[in-house]
Amino acid sequence: LPALEVRDLRKTYANGVEALKGVSLTVQQGDFFALLGPNGAGKSTLIGILSSLVNASSGDAEVFGISVTRQRSAAMRLIGLVPQELNFNMFEKPLDICINQAGFYGIPRRVAAERAEKYLNELRLWDKAEQPSRMLSGGMKRRLMIARAMMNEPKLLILDEPTAGVDIEIRRSMWQFITGINRAGTTVILTTHYLEEAEQLCRNIAIIDKGRIIENTSMKRLLAKL
Ligand code: ADP
Ligand code: ADP
């Protein structure tokens, strides 16, 4: 059973823009997968459909066999999403942000508190857990996004340009955490428009351009071609 199977996914927005023109791809369990493409290629649209934030026009995707269009809430329980923008409440504390996210999944409070401690610890945020998030450094805010996405212990972690606009040191520390999460068994998909970033981290890659997959191969084979 693949971690993700996307079949002929299409999305036309209300303004007539065809953001996805029949996208199909497969991501195997345990993979560290890159979705590479320029701005406007359709990456965020694809991720939006997988995480139930955008409705597909046609086609479907299955996460561990669960349809994201027909079994939305079950599929969402298997997915952790790290959006590109920092979208937590800066006045809330990291601990509360994580516990509230768990509440969104109906996770009991005691389990939520344990998990929040675990992931805030792993992401080196535990000593900041009770401070308003706006006090965190840029790198810490990025790591908080990852901790929050881990609260449902997703089998598939999707990161949308997680290191966009962050400096190299913060990038490295994020890569380290994401690699650790992948080694621990979580399938990871990351979107980026830097081949360099994908090259350092990912085993397999799909390249998307103008709403179509134009390449889907292993990183090794892609690099050998270039
Ligand atoms: P990427 O994440 O690769 O930059 P997007 O999925 O954001 O690409 O965008 C793909 C195309 O869809 C672009 O032409 C973009 O302008 C368009 N688009 C994205 N979101 C919307 C929307 N909500 N309404 C209309 N068009 C959109
Ligand atoms: P609303 O129902 O109020 O529109 P959203 O659907 O935007 O709320 O989601 C509420 C919270 O859950 C937000 O913090 C959002 O980032 C997060 N979220 C949404 N979808 C997912 C997902 N698939 N995995 C993890 N977090 C998600």
Side-chain angles (χ1 to χ4, degrees), residues 81-95:
L81 176 67
V82 181
Q84 204 175 321
E85 308 293 329
L86 298 176
N87 65 351
F88 51 79
N89 181 339
M90 293 290 166
F91 295 95
E92 271 188 285
K93 300 165 185 174
L95 185 60

Side-chain angles (χ1 to χ4, degrees), residues 157-226:
L157 182 66
I158 303 176
L159 303 111
D160 194 4
E161 308 216 10
T163 61
V166 306
D167 66 42
I168 186 67
E169 230 161 283
I170 295 176
R171 259 182 213 214
R172 289 219 176 96
S173 85
M174 292 184 69
W175 290 352
Q176 182 199 327
F177 286 111
I178 301 166
T179 304
I181 288 162
N182 177 247
R183 288 213 183 103
T186 307
T187 307
V188 175
I189 299 177
L190 124 89
T191 76
T192 180
H193 51 261
Y194 301 115
L195 178 60
E196 181 219 332
E197 176 158 61
E199 186 186 327
Q200 300 223 15
L201 293 172
C202 301
R203 275 190 293 278
N204 292 297
I205 183 165
I207 302 177
I208 184 167
D209 189 31
K210 301 189 183 79
R212 292 183 212 278
I213 301 291
I214 57 170
E215 182 82 78
N216 185 0
T217 183
S218 72
M219 193 59 72
K220 262 192 197 147
R221 261 177 265 146
L222 179 72
L223 294 174
K225 261 210 244 176
L226 295 178

Side-chain angles (χ1 to χ4, degrees), residues 11-20 35-47 54 84 160-161 191 193 208 210-211:
K11 173 66 183 180
T12 305
Y13 284 106
N15 61 0
V17 172
E18 288 180 81
L20 299 179
L35 182 65
L36 178 78
N39 279 326
K43 302 184 295 298
S44 299
T45 301
L46 177 55
I47 283 181
V54 174
Q84 204 175 321
D160 194 4
E161 308 216 10
T191 76
H193 51 261
I208 184 167
K210 301 189 183 79

